[in-house]
Amino acid sequence: MSVFQSRRAQFLAQMDDNSLAVFPAGSEKIRSNDTEYPFRQNSDFYYLTGFNEPDACLLLINKKGNQQALLFNRKKDKSAEIWHGYRLGQSAAVSELGFDAAYQIEELQKHLPQLLDGLSTLYFPIFQDPALDKMLSNVINELRAGRRKGQTTPSRYIDNLSILHEMRLIKSEEEIVLLSEAAEISAAGHIRAMQECHAGMWEYQLQAELEHEFAQQGARHTAYNSIVAGGENGCILHYTENRGKLRDGDLVLIDAGAEYQGYAGDISRTFPVNGVFSAAQAKLYQLVLDTQISAISQVKPGVALIDINKNAIKQLVDGLLELGILQGEREQLIKDEAYKDFYMHGIGHYLGLDVHDVGDSGTPEHPRLLQAGMVVTIEPGLYISASANVEDRWKKIGIRIEDDVLVTEFGAEVLSADVPKSINEIEALMRSSR
Ligand code: GLY
Ligand code: MN
Ligand code: MN
């Protein structure tokens, strides 16, 4: 059984008796006039099918103990395939991807009332896809109208993502291999960026260096829009304009990851444009690095990310007090959230098919604890903008250091360890490539 078939079986095993689950594929999105963005499959659909074409839908049916996986997808079309590319079609979907049957996507609405008649539960991604919501509401109303003919409608509607995202949260061996590869390719891109960086370059030119390496290593897409932020731009958390000049004496913050076979890398590194940290940059950098290393050392089953963040906040506040950037008393500063002027995001997030991957994180009062098989990022930072009320030497410095970390049975494994992050290692790498 393929990985995808066994995931479908795992989902089916958790479905109610007499139920049906709907998983829509992604669709192509127009970028301008008649050109599209590169197609990216819906992650939930991909996780269960491994099928990478748009305009498709997976149905999982559990009826009287009989389980079926049906695919609805685009039909073979000679002309469309000459113009736009190969389509798998229905018969190969059955023979190659292991579905019980496949039908043309146009037939979905016609088949659904019959398939749903007599079932008690419908699973679908509720309120996420207006076209799907509308289609299902038409189907359900058609069944309601047939009540006098003996047709019945489901009485329970469940968001299928509650089951699926729990599955996606704990990574299998195969997924860990792909996430490791995504992290290694991402790391190679960051190393190339450190080697190629010099004053006077445009941020987008440095972006091109790192994305060149991603593609050379088999990652055709980035997992998210790359952030290449020189100087003050590093204080904009999701800066993606990347059209500033990289200046001698500034730091550059790169937050970028390759997507490899659907899986995301997500690495941040911050380094001096000219290859040598100034004294002020080095002080702040070392504080973020020490915080990141101690946060990673706390990653293990049974610990909550939110508690790792609380410790990171303490460490950052102590460091900022020592440098004179914050003044006052540690506990009070934390209570007043004074650190949020300089550290305003969380410590990390789940990583998988999506860069901010799915899965329940609990609530601040009852946080989800880490478990073996989860993959998370650990990414503390400090951002001191030009308008901050601090000495000039600390200004226009944005630093984030981010690694991808697998939670193992006894602790953690850093998947993105190939990119240097100590001051000495970074300076040595940059020196050797000048
Ligand atoms: N690159 C987005 C993030 O680090 O969360
Ligand atoms: Mn990132
Ligand atoms: Mn991240």
Side-chain angles (χ1 to χ4, degrees):
M1 221 192 317
S2 80
V3 166
F4 301 103
Q5 274 177 299
S6 76
R7 289 178 189 157
R8 297 197 287 269
Q10 219 182 313
F11 190 95
L12 276 157
Q14 297 176 69
M15 286 170 65
D16 283 359
D17 287 341
N18 295 320
S19 64
L20 181 151
V22 181
F23 298 92
S27 54
E28 291 197 287
K29 309 267 186 304
I30 295 288
R31 178 163 186 268
S32 175
N33 192 15
D34 59 354
T35 57
E36 296 94 17
Y37 288 102
F39 175 67
R40 168 59 157 77
Q41 188 56 283
N42 174 293
S43 297
D44 292 321
F45 179 87
Y46 183 78
Y47 182 82
L48 291 172
T49 63
F51 182 54
N52 233 336
E53 290 183 25
D55 304 329
C57 192
L58 168 69
L59 300 186
L60 296 179
I61 304 170
N62 186 21
K63 192 170 188 173
K64 298 191 182 120
N66 195 358
Q67 303 187 330
Q68 273 195 309
L70 309 182
L71 183 73
F72 289 77
N73 59 335
R74 300 183 305 184
K75 61 172 182 265
K76 298 289 287 176
D77 177 330
K78 207 162 178 194
S79 163
E81 291 186 58
I82 286 170
W83 281 87
H84 303 293
Y86 177 75
R87 295 178 173 193
L88 188 67
Q90 284 68 52
S91 55
V94 171
S95 59
E96 291 177 23
L97 301 179
F99 295 103
D100 296 300
Y103 305 92
Q104 294 177 12
I105 184 69
E106 291 79 8
E107 294 182 13
L108 178 60
Q109 194 163 343
K110 191 180 88 196
H111 280 265
L112 262 175
Q114 289 151 260
L115 292 168
L116 271 173
D117 186 15
L119 297 183
S120 43
T121 308
L122 172 62
Y123 296 85
F124 73 105
I126 296 175
F127 303 147
Q128 292 199 32
D129 180 338
L132 181 73
D133 291 342
K134 183 147 194 287
M135 195 261 284
L136 290 175
S137 117
N138 289 341
V139 167
I140 297 296
N141 283 317
E142 189 182 323
L143 281 175
R144 284 196 182 117
R147 226 175 346 217
R148 267 173 293 153
K149 287 188 282 172
Q151 289 181 323
T152 63
T153 52
S155 54
R156 265 158 65 81
Y157 298 84
I158 301 181
D159 200 321
N160 47 10
L161 306 184
S162 53
I163 298 177
L164 192 74
H165 290 181
E166 192 58 31
M167 288 170 62
R168 280 180 56 189
L169 180 53
I170 307 299
K171 272 67 182 178
S172 65
E173 295 283 322
E174 295 88 356
E175 291 182 288
I176 291 167
V177 168
L178 296 176
L179 278 162
S180 304
E181 188 67 23
E184 279 165 30
I185 295 172
S186 305
H190 279 263
I191 290 173
R192 182 179 168 109
M194 286 180 187
Q195 289 170 326
E196 297 298 325
C197 183
H198 55 261
M201 259 177 131
W202 297 99
E203 290 165 341
Y204 58 80
Q205 291 178 310
L206 195 55
Q207 176 185 359
E209 293 294 346
L210 94 127
E211 292 180 7
H212 168 98
E213 193 64 29
F214 294 172
Q216 286 297 333
Q217 300 216 15
R220 298 267 321 278
H221 302 283
T222 55
Y224 53 94
N225 293 332
S226 301
I227 296 167
V228 180
E232 169 86 3
N233 295 337
C235 299
I236 304 170
L237 299 180
H238 285 168
Y239 174 81
T240 51
E241 275 182 53
N242 299 355
R243 58 192 182 120
K245 194 152 252 189
L246 294 169
R247 288 190 174 65
D248 195 356
D250 278 351
L251 294 178
V252 55
L253 186 163
I254 298 184
D255 181 344
E259 179 178 286
Y260 183 71
Q261 294 191 23
Y263 286 83
D266 183 10
I267 300 180
S268 302
R269 287 293 185 269
T270 309
F271 52 92
V273 168
N274 64 14
V276 182
F277 287 85
S278 73
Q281 289 166 351
K283 285 223 156 32
L284 284 170
Y285 185 88
Q286 194 61 45
L287 172 56
V288 178
L289 182 61
D290 291 343
T291 305
Q292 202 241 10
I293 290 170
S294 63
I296 290 175
S297 74
Q298 296 163 53
V299 173
K300 63 174 184 189
V303 172
L305 272 182
I306 202 172
D307 291 325
I308 298 180
N309 195 36
K310 281 184 191 150
N311 293 333
I313 289 167
K314 279 186 206 148
Q315 198 168 348
L316 290 171
V317 167
D318 282 346
L320 291 171
L321 280 168
E322 213 166 288
L323 296 175
I325 294 171
L326 282 176
Q327 285 101 28
E329 195 263 322
R330 184 222 252 179
E331 296 312 320
Q332 194 59 44
L333 290 166
I334 292 175
K335 216 162 138 207
D336 298 343
E337 300 190 332
Y339 60 87
K340 280 201 175 167
D341 288 346
F342 308 117
Y343 173 52
M344 56 296 273
H345 57 73
I347 194 75
H349 50 83
Y350 300 139
L351 185 70
L353 281 168
D354 285 292
V355 62
H356 296 156
D357 207 35
V358 296
D360 176 34
S361 346
T363 60
E365 295 73 34
H366 296 102
R368 178 74 181 256
L369 303 182
L370 295 176
Q371 280 168 252
M374 290 181 179
V375 176
V376 297
T377 65
I378 295 291
E379 49 178 310
L382 281 176
Y383 312 90
I384 308 189
S385 68
S387 60
N389 188 17
V390 299
E391 282 176 55
D392 281 349
R393 64 185 166 135
W394 307 120
K395 289 182 180 173
K396 301 192 198 174
I397 295 181
I399 297 167
R400 181 162 59 255
I401 308 173
E402 173 175 31
D403 280 303
D404 303 341
V405 181
L406 166 68
V407 185
T408 62
E409 215 178 315
F410 304 108
E413 182 189 336
V414 180
L415 304 179
S416 51
D418 291 353
V419 210
K421 61 182 175 184
S422 77
I423 290 179
N424 282 340
E425 284 172 320
I426 290 174
E427 289 187 345
L429 174 70
M430 294 185 75
R431 203 163 44 237
S432 69
S433 46
R434 248 124 246 268

